[in-house]
Amino acid sequence: MTPEGISQLITRVSLRDRNAFDALYSSTSAKLFGVCLRILSNRTEAEDALQDIYVKIWNKADRFAIAETSPISWLVAIARNHCIDILRARKPSSSDLDQAANIAEPSANPEQSSIAASESRRIYDCLGQLDQARASAVRGAYLNGDSYEDLAARHKVPLNTMRTWLRRSLLKLKECLEA
Amino acid sequence: MSATPTDSTPPDDDFIAAEYVLGVLALDEKQSVERRIATDVSFARLVARWQQQFDGMNAEFDPVTPPSHMKALIDKRLFGTVSQQSAPFFGNLAFWRAVAFAALVLAAIGFGRDFLNNSSAPDRQLIASMDASGSAYRTVAVYNQDRKQLKVSLLAGELPADRSLELWLIAGTDAPVSLGLIKSAQLTEFPLDRSLAGKLQEGTTLAITLEPLGGSPNKTATGAIVAAGTVREI
């Protein structure tokens, strides 16, 4: 479905149109379920989260028209945000942190086949200009929901060092993205 | 968290916005940022800009079809039912309060009789109260079936100087159809042709969006919805 089509569905959902809600669910739920699975890494939690997310979408749809963003990005942001809340609310135990250190890092070079739009290329071009470990920290945070603690454990650096790393990485990214 | 002149760190707010979008903050920090987004427009813009910058990575979330029973669970939570029957836009109480309020205001500003047009109205009349949460606009629409004319009045909110308010009719699953622009806060009349008149019935949705001056450049609503409501027969 085109972005315009999805925008129109969201607008109609904000008017409490249940047919539009059904159509929006059919055309976007696979993407949002993918987000939940990736971030939560747990199928049961992902299924619960997906339900919460569509309840939120139904209730928040009237705010979409005000947001200046593409419809699918808006939906993904709602899903990511919800999943990250769930992750952060989990009690961090030392075993989680040990585990985090052992999880494979996301590769620095994502599959090119999945990157089509030029907007996507720009963020990856700019990530490519960062040191590889730092680029993977940024991607790990965005795609896997890693917290500062997770990142510090995985990269075996103190928390404050990780903050400084990320801060510098974001500054470089910003310069590149806005160049 | 202060930046020295030689240190080229971004302003703190911008960095916090980026951290928030990346999702690295602890829960309490994240929640305090969310409270700020809700109240601080310029900070919310920083967040939106970072979100747009990172959107490119969304392509890496591979779609996975959820189990087929999920949608029914969601419907059950939202509507208490999985049937296709549309839920009413307004609770009855809220709707009748709005109608009562509208009638009072119309009477008070002196054109209530003309607006409601009781003398020539048939026994049944179509009326809609339109508003939206967080919107400054409250409006009411009354349809004269004999003259196929829809009258709309703003009860609250001003006509913006640099934008137009456009009225839309949404029948069932059809795309919204523009009925035209609201030209006066007091009273704007929209003559409906036969096909549109046929679509205006109980359950039809009326909505008002904020559009560029002169109305939406294409045939679809492009701006924020400032008011919406369902047509009722009274």
Side-chain angles (χ1 to χ4, degrees), chain A residues 8 11-12 14-22 25-26 29-31 33-39 43 46-48 50-52 54-55 58-59 62 65-66 68-70 72-74 76-77 80-82 84-86 88-89 107 110-111 114-116 119-124 127 137-139 141-149 151 163 166-168 170-171 173-175 177-178, chain B residues 1-3 7-15 18-27 29-31 34 45-46 48-71 73-75 77-79 81-89 132-134 170 172-176 205-207 209 219-225 227-230:
Chain A
Q8 213 169 69
T11 302
R12 282 168 50 198
S14 75
L15 300 173
R16 298 296 179 254
D17 178 338
R18 280 184 60 182
N19 291 323
F21 185 63
D22 294 347
Y25 181 87
S26 344
S29 56
K31 182 72 180 179
F33 193 49
V35 172
C36 298
L37 283 172
R38 173 97 187 233
I39 295 179
R43 205 168 169 98
E47 289 179 9
D48 289 346
L50 190 72
Q51 292 180 47
D52 294 338
Y54 276 92
V55 169
W58 173 264
N59 290 324
D62 60 335
I66 298 158
E68 294 165 3
T69 171
S70 89
I72 195 71
S73 301
W74 186 75
V76 167
R80 271 190 73 239
N81 193 37
H82 184 77
I84 289 169
D85 276 344
I86 294 172
R88 296 292 170 271
S107 74
E111 316 74 44
S114 65
I115 317 298
E119 279 297 301
S120 295
R121 280 202 296 273
R122 211 161 99 243
I123 179 78
Y124 289 114
L127 281 170
V138 171
R139 290 186 59 237
Y142 190 85
L143 295 168
N144 302 337
D146 291 342
S147 66
Y148 269 131
E149 280 173 338
L151 291 171
R163 274 189 186 260
L166 199 70
R167 184 168 199 152
R168 295 213 175 115
L170 288 168
L171 177 63
L173 263 185
K174 188 182 164 78
E175 280 168 359
L177 288 165
E178 291 180 357
Chain B
M1 294 280 278
S2 67
D7 188 354
S8 53
T9 48
D12 281 348
D13 274 359
D14 198 38
F15 182 62
E19 283 182 317
Y20 173 76
V21 173
L22 268 189
V24 290
L25 299 173
L27 192 58
E29 296 172 305
K30 183 172 185 288
Q31 286 165 345
E34 275 160 0
R45 276 202 200 99
L46 292 178
R49 207 163 81 214
W50 275 108
Q51 183 61 63
Q52 278 170 6
Q53 309 278 35
F54 288 131
D55 278 346
M57 283 191 274
N58 289 347
E60 284 191 73
F61 291 114
D62 292 326
V64 181
T65 304
S68 56
H69 65 279
M70 296 289 295
K71 180 61 167 55
L73 292 175
I74 293 164
D75 284 348
R77 275 179 60 183
L78 278 172
F79 316 117
T81 153
V82 292
S83 84
Q84 294 297 305
Q85 184 68 44
S86 272
F89 188 78
S133 68
I170 304 155
T173 58
D174 295 352
T205 298
L206 293 175
T209 61
K219 286 184 172 168
T220 59
T222 62
I225 294 167
T230 304

Side-chain angles (χ1 to χ4, degrees), chain B residues 184-212:
Chain B
S184 152
Q186 271 86 41
L187 183 63
T188 309
E189 298 180 340
F190 298 89
L192 302 191
D193 63 25
R194 187 188 295 262
S195 101
L196 279 174
K199 288 180 175 172
L200 189 78
Q201 48 190 277
E202 184 158 85
T204 302
T205 298
L206 293 175
I208 294 171
T209 61
L210 199 56
E211 297 291 343

Side-chain angles (χ1 to χ4, degrees), chain A residues 142-164:
Chain A
Y142 190 85
L143 295 168
N144 302 337
D146 291 342
S147 66
Y148 269 131
E149 280 173 338
D150 300 330
L151 291 171
R154 177 170 310 156
H155 292 271
K156 300 189 172 64
V157 296
L159 202 66
N160 279 338
T161 308
M162 182 44 76
R163 274 189 186 260
T164 311

